[in-house]
Amino acid sequence: MNAKSPRFLCGLVAALVSAAILRAQPAPAATPVIRVNAAATKPSSPLLYGLMTEEINYSYAGGLYAELIINRSFQDNARNPDYWSLVKDAAAAGSIALDRTEHLNDALPVSLRIDNTSAAPGPAQGGAAGAPRTRLGVANAGYWGIPVKPSTTYRASFFAKADNNFSGPVALSLESNDGATVFARAQVTGVSGGWKKYEAVLTTAANVSPTAAARFVLLTGSPGTVWLSQVSLFPPTWNNRPNGLRPDLMRLLSDLRPTFLRFPGGNYVEGNSPETRFDFKKTIGPVEERPGHMGTWSYRSSDGLGLLEFLTWCEDLKMEPVLAVFAGLTLGGTTISAGPALEPYVQDALDEIEYVTGDVSTKWGAQRAKDGHSAPFKLTYVEIGNEDNARSNYDARFAQFHDAIKAKHPQLQLIATLAVQSRTPDLIDDHQYYNSGQITARQAATRYDTADRKGPKIIFGEYATRGATPPTPDLNNALGDAAFLTGLERNSDHVIMSTYAPLFLNVNPGASSWPTDLIGYDALNSFGSVSYYVQKMFGTHHGDTILATTIENTPTERLTADRGGSAQPADVPSLFASATRDTAKGVIYLKVVNGAGTPQPVSIEFNGVNVAATGEATVLTSANLTDVNSLTEPMKVTPKTEPATGLAGKFTRTFPAHSVTVLELKAN
Ligand code: AHR
């Protein structure tokens, strides 16, 4: 066949066409390579994974603070005893009303007055067996119900006084909302002339079915007038602390192994006005002497969970307190100027620090001892304000707090809420909510890779990837959080603390101030969100040494913004990694996030270390990006741990679509 023959030409054309087709095919993506260099190390901050908390979404009231009575001091509404209702049998007569003329003390300036004007006693009030019932009293609805559980002891207390007509006992009960079923009962006697505290124990039977369709009832046992103040009901608490915290929520927190607690806010520290800031002096001492205050999220706080309770919470979970103090900026627009006007607040901060750390020879240390905790608490970090801005003259306000605190407590590390010029803070608090979902969270994963190490260190005091499926994060959001966290972990020589926010959410309608929260609950049950399990995977697999980790041939994918976020569609990486080594245990934790919707083969290469052939893999994934955990399916998306084989100094592993993996490798 010569070069001019038709067959030759056809063959040539066919060859050229198929070559062109071959060229049009995208080259197969090169396998990504994760390189972990165990010879290039930096110390990893032991405090990297902590908690941030404030009164938001009914986090304490109706949440962590185990008190079951809502509006226990009748101050939620000045005109009406909200959440309290009259219980009255048809044959009984009487009424309830707020009463400001009778009150327990100046902190609690209003009482609930019960006028029992029944003409004849019923059988429960000493009348004849066949007499009609004349029950009269009040019921409290609880925070979306009172949780009734089997074989459970509840401690009730209340302050009361009565007029001379009243002779009966006060009967207490836990009962169904229609009053037909009584789950537990008790009674107190002797309520008379002066204000006094009364206590009783109510215990449910073993065969009671758990329910939150229940109420707490106090009945006055005879005609006459009774005034009530500070009515309280506690179920068992974590470590059996009086005035304590809800055990299931503490268990969820404890399982995260958090290293610090940033409190009491958030916006909650600032208040809407200087009067409604977190004023520690009003949150300590006997609970009936705490006035409570209006919070920043549209409901009152009893301050039953006050400064000492924050500190014992830290003690119980072995967390470092990161104490935020009010620094003059309020959410309502008032800013106290630096100078003499700010001085009382600077003094408050000094007093608060003394309350936390002072020995009993100091004024506020002695107060703490009187409140029940004679040993001082360890305190290293104090944050001056929350989310201040340059327009509010923060620089001068920070300087005033800085100088006063450092003069008295030079060892304290001070956190500024933004960069300041006049003083050098020890740390700066960064916050970022990734409102567009994974796009911005993934972009932020490299945020600190090239950060200047000479300046102040960073506490990342609030972050979350937020998405389209409130109230708690779905797998999509959790992948964004995990990608971002690999960046914090690679840089934890510089970013020494981090915390997701907000922590808690009561999932009942009307409780939420902020969609996308870490832990959800109602009166009876609780669950960790998908992001909670990312936190748990990272916090419980964290070594003391960062190993330099890089990715070559990083795959990318085009993402669009979730929940109408403002970010434009963008090509972003879909593979993320970080590695730390636990020197004492001789293990390396390699975290790999595959954000893509297809399984991702990855070549993993270690330098400077021998890796054993077997280890463990903990993997979080689910069928759909929108999968969430909930009260009904609390464990739908949770990590699974299995043996990992085929490990070596160099190996290939395929990571499932939409997954977070922690590989635990034995290494020497
Ligand atoms: O976490 C919710 C709020 O977000 C915090 O109170 C505030 O600091 C931030 O703006």
Side-chain angles (χ1 to χ4, degrees):
M1 183 171 57
N2 74 39
K4 288 184 183 160
S5 79
R7 275 183 64 205
F8 173 83
L9 287 175
C10 279
L12 183 64
V13 168
L16 288 172
V17 167
S18 65
I21 288 170
L22 273 180
R23 269 201 303 279
Q25 303 282 347
T31 303
V33 182
I34 296 177
R35 287 189 202 286
V36 180
N37 189 350
T41 64
K42 289 182 283 193
S44 185
S45 167
L47 292 177
L48 185 58
Y49 299 111
L51 303 176
M52 183 270 169
T53 178
E54 66 175 315
E55 182 57 285
I56 183 173
N57 304 316
Y58 287 82
S59 288
Y60 313 144
L64 184 66
Y65 182 50
E67 173 65 83
L68 298 179
I69 303 299
I70 187 167
N71 193 17
R72 70 181 181 186
S73 302
F74 315 111
Q75 297 183 86
D76 282 10
N77 180 343
R79 286 186 293 280
N80 188 58
D82 283 358
Y83 313 109
W84 293 90
S85 55
L86 178 69
V87 176
K88 186 177 87 61
D89 287 334
S95 59
I96 59 171
L98 294 179
D99 189 344
R100 290 180 185 279
T101 58
E102 288 290 349
H103 55 271
L104 180 64
N105 54 36
D106 290 346
L108 306 184
V110 61
S111 64
L112 184 66
R113 174 186 170 130
I114 306 173
D115 287 312
N116 184 337
T117 53
S118 303
Q125 288 78 37
R133 292 195 335 163
T134 55
R135 299 183 341 142
L136 190 116
V138 284
N140 186 273
Y143 292 95
W144 294 273
I146 300 273
V148 171
K149 296 181 182 175
S151 305
T152 302
T153 296
Y154 298 79
R155 298 189 182 281
S157 66
F158 60 93
F159 289 81
K161 66 175 281 187
D163 71 0
N164 289 337
N165 298 326
F166 184 72
S167 60
V170 172
L172 316 176
S173 56
L174 283 174
E175 55 182 56
S176 56
N177 285 334
D178 61 3
T181 309
V182 175
F183 302 110
R185 63 173 97 234
Q187 103 171 9
V188 301
T189 55
V191 177
S192 54
W195 282 106
K196 222 177 117 193
K197 185 175 184 180
Y198 299 88
E199 293 176 284
V201 165
L202 296 90
T203 304
T204 54
N207 62 355
V208 160
S209 300
T211 181
R215 60 185 189 170
F216 178 63
V217 173
L218 285 106
L219 297 172
T220 59
S222 78
T225 298
V226 173
W227 290 267
L228 297 174
S229 186
Q230 185 90 309
V231 181
S232 174
L233 181 71
F234 271 83
T237 58
W238 183 262
N239 281 351
N240 294 320
R241 282 193 189 272
N243 194 42
L245 306 180
R246 188 171 142 172
D248 59 333
L249 297 179
M250 285 293 274
R251 166 57 53 209
L252 281 165
L253 297 183
S254 168
D255 287 350
L256 291 174
R257 285 196 227 141
T259 54
F260 69 88
L261 181 70
R262 174 175 175 257
F263 71 90
N267 291 350
Y268 187 59
V269 75
E270 301 166 274
N272 287 323
S273 65
E275 294 70 40
T276 56
R277 73 192 189 279
F278 183 84
D279 181 353
F280 94 92
K281 289 172 187 164
K282 294 182 179 162
T283 75
I284 56 175
V287 284
E288 68 274 12
E289 290 172 17
R290 303 182 195 179
H293 74 287
M294 189 66 191
T296 39
W297 299 101
S298 307
Y299 59 94
R300 274 182 66 85
S301 168
S302 70
D303 288 326
L305 201 168
L307 178 58
L308 187 58
E309 288 76 22
F310 280 111
L311 293 166
T312 49
W313 174 9
C314 289
E315 191 167 75
D316 283 353
L317 296 189
K318 299 186 174 51
M319 303 182 289
E320 286 250 2
V322 175
L323 176 68
V325 297
F326 174 74
L329 178 72
T330 69
L331 294 175
T334 305
T335 305
I336 315 281
S337 304
L342 196 61
E343 211 38 50
Y345 302 99
V346 174
Q347 187 56 48
D348 270 353
L350 292 172
D351 293 345
E352 190 166 4
I353 291 165
E354 188 173 288
Y355 186 90
V356 179
T357 63
D359 65 36
V360 294
S361 67
T362 64
K363 176 180 171 192
W364 289 103
Q367 179 65 49
R368 186 198 59 242
K370 192 170 159 216
D371 295 342
H373 202 286
S374 50
F377 293 89
K378 178 178 173 243
L379 179 69
T380 305
Y381 300 97
V382 175
E383 179 158 5
I384 312 302
N386 175 65
E387 293 190 348
D388 292 82
N389 54 68
R391 292 184 314 283
S392 64
N393 202 11
Y394 182 63
D395 211 318
R397 290 188 285 116
F398 179 82
Q400 197 169 338
F401 278 89
H402 173 277
D403 294 357
I405 295 173
K406 287 277 185 184
K408 223 171 164 195
H409 306 281
Q411 78 289 357
L412 288 180
Q413 302 268 295
L414 298 187
I415 304 171
T417 71
L418 69 147
V420 287
Q421 308 306 322
S422 63
R423 303 289 183 279
T424 305
D426 299 292
L427 290 104
I428 291 183
D429 183 3
D430 260 350
H431 293 180
Q432 192 68 60
Y433 290 97
Y434 299 112
N435 290 330
S436 302
Q438 283 207 58
I439 293 188
T440 40
R442 289 194 198 182
Q443 286 167 338
T446 48
R447 174 173 178 153
Y448 293 106
D449 283 350
T450 51
D452 176 11
R453 266 35 181 189
K454 291 192 212 79
K457 294 199 184 296
I458 301 294
I459 168 173
F460 217 105
E462 295 181 26
Y463 70 85
T465 309
R466 303 179 70 194
T469 43
T472 61
D474 58 12
L475 177 62
N476 191 20
N477 308 146
L479 288 167
D481 293 334
F484 173 63
L485 281 178
T486 59
L488 297 193
E489 192 167 272
R490 279 195 312 277
N491 293 287
S492 70
D493 59 315
H494 181 57
V495 183
I496 64 167
M497 291 185 256
S498 72
T499 167
Y500 188 101
L503 180 60
F504 285 131
L505 166 78
N506 187 315
V507 297
N508 278 292
S512 169
S513 328
W514 187 277
T516 317
D517 306 282
L518 199 64
I519 292 172
Y521 47 85
D522 65 4
L524 273 179
N525 298 304
S526 52
F527 65 96
S529 66
V530 190
S531 285
Y532 167 90
Y533 287 101
V534 164
Q535 297 290 320
K536 186 172 172 186
M537 287 171 79
F538 276 68
T540 57
H541 298 91
H542 179 218
D544 51 275
T545 305
I546 309 163
L547 309 182
T549 304
T550 54
I551 305 182
E552 287 162 26
N553 308 329
T554 306
T556 61
E557 64 178 340
R558 174 143 285 233
L559 291 186
T560 50
D562 289 337
R563 66 187 289 276
S566 57
Q568 295 303 309
D571 292 320
V572 288
S574 61
L575 186 68
F576 304 84
S578 61
T580 60
R581 183 178 199 164
D582 185 320
T583 318
K585 282 195 187 158
V587 297
I588 290 175
Y589 301 116
L590 174 63
K591 289 161 189 146
V592 179
V593 181
N594 176 24
T598 50
Q600 178 65 65
V602 179
S603 171
I604 298 171
E605 298 188 22
F606 287 89
N607 176 44
V609 70
N610 296 314
V611 172
T614 57
E616 238 175 41
T618 301
V619 183
L620 178 83
T621 187
S622 194
N624 307 298
L625 280 172
T626 51
D627 284 348
V628 291
N629 294 330
S630 61
L631 287 175
T632 45
E633 289 184 288
M635 303 297 282
K636 179 171 176 150
V637 189
T638 50
K640 312 281 178 296
T641 299
E642 57 186 36
T645 53
L647 310 177
K650 181 175 175 185
F651 62 97
T652 298
R653 187 177 176 93
T654 298
F655 294 89
H658 297 147
S659 66
V660 181
T661 300
V662 179
L663 278 180
E664 183 172 330
L665 308 112
K666 291 174 216 127
N668 56 52

